[in-house]
Amino acid sequence: MSTGQSWRGASPTVSYKKRGRRKPSNLFNISASEGFPLSLSLSFSFWWVLEEMEGGFLETQVTVGKEHSCVDEQSVREKGPGEFGCMHYRRGCKIRAPCCDEIFDCRHCHNEAKNALEVEPVDRHDIPRHDLKRVICSLCNTEQDVQQHCSQCGVCMGNYFCPKCKFFDDDVSKKQYHCDQCGICRTGGAENFFHCDRCGCCYSTVLKDSHNCVEKAMHHNCPVCFEFLFDTTADITVLPCGHTIHLECVKEMERHFQYSCPVCSKSYCDMSRVWEKLDHEIDATPMPPMYQNKLVWILCNDCGQTSEVNFHIVALKCLKCKSYNTRQTQRGPASCSSRVSEMVR
């Protein structure tokens, strides 16, 4: 089934027909306690069922509503262990969306399909991930309650399974873990991250004693692409100022020679060499006599200091931190209060 495609009807059932041999029982019930590593149980189970089908143990017939079709054994054989799923996740089940009662490979497939441009704006919506109630096994098409192993064929539908998030994934190399404070599953390994209560999100342990806390730092959209950051699947970076942004968006900004935070305008990398080049450029570009003694007020985006400096067409340098990341203002530090007093008068 392609991404976003769905079907409606009665719950699929699986029937077995004997071919001179008895129906196998607990065909997929292979656990780590029986001598097999848990990560290998899915692989072993898939290939065992193919051998049994070739040996004549069973013939699988899937019934959906009034339509009957036999499972194509060749297509199942072509999909090896860990190859079920979609472009977002490798796993052995699909989900029935509780919001629209349609079937999708994962919540991202649902959100992409239901928020496409061809969908009426009033009908666009995201799936409430924690409200998920039903899943469909990709091997036997049995619809069932959310659980790690299929109730019909016993196959493991996800090597990583979180009952709180109703989340399945076969690729455990991501080192998934559930953060109770965030309320969602994250990747990278719980030992490599900590949850900052003020920022309201998980950060790398490298930043534990050095990051600037920003209230609910990731509970907003990326300032470049406007995707919600808290549960995004893309890589996120924390700027020195404490604001968060997609890593790819930062790289895109650098390709356009933008080196300041799009939220607070502070420089997020060492700009000392650039400031030195601007010093040489200003020295080599004298201003006309009528502008040589012109003074203007500036606000430094890096240190927040206001100062009165000589005007120059190339750039305006902060007297405190020597940064050229400045902006020209109309008046000095007391300009705001003076304006308020004038309005009161």
Side-chain angles (χ1 to χ4, degrees):
M1 185 178 297
S2 60
T3 303
Q5 187 177 358
S6 60
W7 49 262
R8 294 177 178 271
S11 301
T13 59
V14 179
S15 59
Y16 297 91
K17 294 182 179 180
K18 295 181 180 178
R19 289 183 177 176
R21 304 174 76 173
R22 67 181 182 83
K23 168 185 172 181
S25 59
N26 297 326
L27 187 60
F28 297 94
N29 290 337
I30 306 172
S31 63
S33 61
E34 295 171 339
F36 295 94
L38 185 59
S39 59
L40 298 180
S41 61
L42 176 62
S43 174
F44 193 90
S45 302
F46 268 110
W47 295 119
W48 192 1
V49 73
L50 295 181
E51 292 176 0
E52 298 295 357
M53 291 171 71
E54 291 174 352
F57 266 116
L58 57 91
E59 173 182 318
T60 309
Q61 179 173 311
V62 181
T63 304
V64 181
K66 296 182 179 180
E67 298 181 1
H68 302 269
S69 59
C70 292
V71 174
D72 185 357
E73 295 183 6
Q74 183 64 30
S75 64
V76 176
R77 189 179 294 106
E78 290 174 355
K79 283 194 173 184
E83 293 186 10
F84 286 91
C86 60
M87 61 179 293
H88 304 104
Y89 302 112
R90 298 284 91 189
R91 56 187 183 182
C93 67
K94 298 179 175 65
I95 63 172
R96 181 178 290 278
C99 46
C100 52
D101 199 34
E102 297 183 17
I103 293 177
F104 295 88
D105 288 317
C106 73
R107 67 181 184 89
H108 295 293
C109 293
H110 169 278
N111 295 342
E112 291 173 3
K114 293 302 180 180
N115 291 285
L117 294 177
E118 57 268 19
V119 178
E120 292 294 332
V122 68
D123 296 327
R124 296 174 187 173
H125 64 280
D126 290 338
I127 190 171
R129 65 165 74 185
H130 295 97
D131 294 341
L132 183 65
K133 304 291 185 188
R134 307 284 287 176
V135 296
I136 298 90
C137 176
S138 298
L139 186 64
C140 67
N141 285 334
T142 300
E143 183 168 350
Q144 56 202 278
D145 293 335
V146 177
Q147 53 193 322
Q148 187 173 17
H149 294 85
C150 177
S151 60
Q152 178 66 31
C153 65
V155 69
C156 179
M157 295 185 287
N159 287 332
Y160 174 82
F161 170 68
C162 177
K164 297 179 180 179
C165 294
K166 321 293 178 61
F167 176 62
F168 302 79
D169 197 352
D170 281 336
D171 185 7
V172 294
S173 65
K174 301 175 184 177
K175 296 184 179 179
Q176 302 93 329
Y177 69 97
H178 180 84
C179 176
D180 290 325
Q181 291 92 331
C182 288
I184 60 176
C185 289
R186 298 197 178 279
T187 59
E191 68 280 3
N192 299 320
F193 291 86
F194 74 100
H195 183 87
C196 178
D197 292 329
R198 183 177 178 185
C199 296
C201 51
C202 289
Y203 285 155
S204 171
T205 52
V206 177
L207 301 174
K208 189 169 185 178
D209 299 321
S210 60
H211 78 285
N212 291 320
C213 286
V214 175
E215 192 78 19
K216 295 187 179 299
M218 286 203 298
H219 293 259
H220 61 82
N221 297 334
C222 173
V224 175
C225 67
F226 300 105
E227 180 187 356
F228 191 60
L229 289 174
F230 184 71
D231 57 359
T232 182
T233 57
D235 292 333
I236 297 176
T237 185
V238 184
L239 302 181
C241 57
H243 295 115
T244 53
I245 186 175
H246 283 133
L247 180 59
E248 186 58 37
C249 291
V250 173
K251 294 179 180 178
E252 184 66 23
M253 289 172 56
E254 292 176 351
R255 285 192 285 267
H256 291 81
F257 307 103
Q258 298 293 326
Y259 302 101
S260 59
C261 172
V263 178
C264 65
S265 298
K266 288 186 177 181
S267 302
Y268 59 77
C269 58
D270 184 12
M271 300 290 290
S272 57
R273 296 180 61 184
V274 179
W275 302 158
E276 290 178 3
K277 291 183 178 180
L278 284 175
D279 284 337
H280 298 320
E281 183 68 21
I282 290 175
D283 292 339
T285 312
M287 293 293 291
M290 62 180 299
Y291 289 104
Q292 287 182 358
N293 297 322
K294 180 178 175 62
L295 297 176
V296 294
W297 283 97
I298 63 170
L299 171 66
C300 180
N301 294 322
D302 288 339
C303 68
Q305 182 72 28
T306 57
S307 54
E308 192 175 22
V309 300
N310 289 323
F311 174 76
H312 200 282
I313 192 64
V314 175
L316 300 173
K317 186 176 184 178
C318 174
L319 298 179
K320 182 180 179 181
C321 67
K322 311 304 180 182
S323 168
Y324 281 101
N325 182 16
T326 61
R327 65 182 71 183
Q328 185 175 341
T329 60
Q330 292 184 352
R331 299 187 184 182
S335 60
C336 181
S337 59
S338 61
R339 285 185 181 181
V340 173
S341 61
E342 290 176 2
M343 292 176 62
V344 172
R345 293 177 185 175

